[in-house]
Amino acid sequence: MFDPFLVELNKGIQDHGGYAVDIPSGLAKCSSTKGNALITSWLWKVSGFRRWRVTRLEAGEKLQVLNSVAYPEYSNDHPLLGIDLLWFGKTGKLVAVLDFQPLVQDADYLDRHFQGLKSVHSRFSEFCGDKKMHSFDPNKYFSPWMLFFRGEEQQAIESLPFAFSEFLSCYWSLHELSCQSPSNVSEEEVKRLQIDYDIYSAQRDPAHGLFKSYFGKVWTDRFLTEFLFPESFRKNDLTF
Ligand code: BLA
């Protein structure tokens, strides 16, 4: 379902010199013991980024997911890239969330980093829907210009490829631009906020139950602590 997006994302990363790095043993792939789901992940090292992870979950008509987070180097205060696409085939429900995830919400920060996303957001009205959230706080690590759709797939499936491409190229532009100008948020504070993002996301992510039901508690716990949100479980030393 989301394979063209996965190809586009991974190609963009490779075009920017990204190369795949090892994922802790046993976590790169797992098939459900029920035999009806497969989860595959990639971890990329890309210049200017500390970590870039990508995950695809395929469970046929039941569920298809593409999820990705890019963490910039601590020396760069620009937002994280956040992608969460879900398709529930049986009901035809689509959930699409594409955001530049801000470290802070102050006007100066949003002004500096969000001109591009603001413009993409204004061109895709399908993705400006009601951001009613059940698990997350929309004002914490989400931006006011997040592309968000939750509803019948027919209402957004045609424009999703265009929105996705524009969103991605806008993020690459933001990254290139911000590498040329100094950060306003200190390196130490960026580190603290990125760690807090992992802690917050690990606590709130609505996917835990879903992973457990497919892959069991032992594998899921390892996947969360060692791959999805490693900073949230590490004993973090905030000195450099
Ligand atoms: C919602 N994400 C969801 C839901 C699931 C996942 C099952 C609930 C679906 C619904 O609202 O009907 C699934 N999340 C996953 C999976 C992974 C994951 C499979 O992390 C990991 C592989 N979520 C992100 C990122 C963003 C994000 C990076 O992981 C940012 C763009 C956003 N997901 C996001 C939001 C919601 C969501 C905003 C709605 C949550 C809410 O209602 O509070």
Side-chain angles (χ1 to χ4, degrees):
M1 171 72 183
F2 297 125
D3 277 6
F5 304 139
L6 175 69
V7 168
E8 187 175 343
L9 178 62
N10 284 351
K11 183 176 181 304
I13 290 171
Q14 286 169 299
D15 288 348
H16 285 80
Y19 56 92
V21 291
D22 283 348
I23 292 178
S25 145
L27 298 182
K29 240 181 200 179
C30 186
S31 48
S32 164
T33 43
K34 294 180 213 154
N36 53 5
L38 175 68
I39 188 163
T40 314
S41 295
W42 295 261
L43 186 60
W44 298 99
K45 184 71 194 85
V46 189
S47 167
F49 291 90
R50 186 171 68 73
R51 176 182 176 82
W52 195 319
R53 64 165 166 84
V54 180
T55 295
R56 171 179 61 190
L57 171 60
E58 298 166 286
E61 289 286 305
K62 259 195 189 153
L63 178 64
Q64 299 277 323
V65 178
L66 176 63
N67 180 278
S68 183
V69 178
Y71 300 80
E73 296 283 6
Y74 293 136
S75 55
N76 194 328
D77 71 0
H78 81 64
L80 286 73
L81 169 110
I83 293 174
D84 202 13
L85 302 178
L86 299 102
W87 178 73
F88 302 86
K90 282 192 178 146
T91 55
K93 180 182 163 190
L94 177 73
V95 178
V97 194
L98 304 170
D99 201 9
F100 294 1
Q101 303 202 255
L103 292 173
V104 292
Q105 298 278 346
D106 63 75
D108 168 65
Y109 182 90
L110 297 179
D111 238 35
R112 267 190 309 130
H113 295 304
F114 284 83
Q115 300 309 326
L117 187 63
K118 220 187 257 189
S119 156
V120 176
H121 184 262
S122 72
R123 276 177 278 124
F124 291 94
S125 56
E126 306 88 317
F127 297 94
C128 306
D130 183 8
K131 296 175 197 158
K132 220 179 225 157
M133 292 196 190
H134 311 300
S135 346
F136 296 111
D137 172 354
N139 299 312
K140 190 163 181 187
Y141 300 123
F142 289 106
S143 84
W145 304 282
M146 166 171 71
L147 305 186
F148 185 90
F149 176 85
R150 185 195 269 133
E152 294 290 315
E153 62 173 309
Q154 292 92 331
Q155 292 166 20
I157 205 76
E158 274 179 29
S159 48
L160 183 58
F162 300 100
F164 187 84
S165 289
E166 288 206 24
F167 168 81
L168 260 194
S169 63
C170 184
Y171 190 72
W172 285 117
S173 305
L174 167 81
H175 178 64
E176 276 147 32
L177 211 74
S178 76
C179 285
Q180 294 158 20
S181 49
S183 290
N184 278 11
V185 184
S186 73
E187 192 162 339
E188 209 168 10
E189 186 61 2
V190 171
K191 180 175 179 179
R192 190 189 69 75
L193 289 162
Q194 284 198 14
I195 291 169
D196 185 63
Y197 170 92
D198 265 15
I199 295 169
Y200 176 77
S201 305
Q203 287 166 349
R204 306 285 186 109
D205 197 316
H208 295 192
L210 188 146
F211 287 141
K212 274 186 198 157
S213 72
Y214 281 121
F215 309 108
K217 183 176 181 328
V218 174
W219 188 88
T220 297
D221 288 350
R222 272 200 70 211
F223 189 59
L224 290 170
T225 54
E226 295 177 45
F227 182 72
L228 286 185
F229 308 112
E231 299 305 328
S232 68
F233 298 93
R234 219 168 264 160
K235 271 207 173 315
N236 282 298
D237 162 18
L238 288 175
T239 56
F240 283 84

